[in-house]
Amino acid sequence: TAGAVAEYTRAVRLGARAPMLFHWLGSLLLATGDLAGAEECFREAVRRGPSLAVAHNALGFVRSQRGDRAAAEAGARAAVAL
């Protein structure tokens, strides 16, 4: 997982900006327990791909894990609405 995180991070540094790239990186960070990093990536995925339901859902999940119920619910509602 650490190698994959390094490669995705490198892609971002090199200028890759696809919303799913940020989603995948966020998922990897979530798997390593980096909730803050995962949330940042999922937020960026949502910003770059506002119609990407999976990113809204993942952002809601991370926020629920961090104890922010209202933001988690908002993320889940946004995902369902898409």
Side-chain angles (χ1 to χ4, degrees):
T1 303
V5 168
E7 289 302 315
Y8 279 106
T9 301
R10 182 173 175 260
V12 169
R13 281 194 209 124
L14 291 173
R17 296 293 178 243
M20 280 305 295
L21 172 72
F22 289 92
H23 172 73
W24 292 325
L25 179 54
S27 296
L28 288 167
L29 292 171
L30 181 61
T32 68
D34 182 357
L35 293 178
E39 183 174 5
E40 181 180 335
C41 286
F42 293 140
R43 269 197 324 264
E44 189 63 19
V46 166
R47 187 180 78 75
R48 293 181 180 279
S51 64
L52 192 60
V54 69
H56 285 278
N57 189 54
L59 182 57
F61 176 78
V62 169
R63 288 177 170 168
S64 74
Q65 295 300 298
R66 298 187 79 188
D68 188 346
R69 183 180 169 136
E73 186 176 327
R77 287 185 189 276
V80 169
L82 296 170

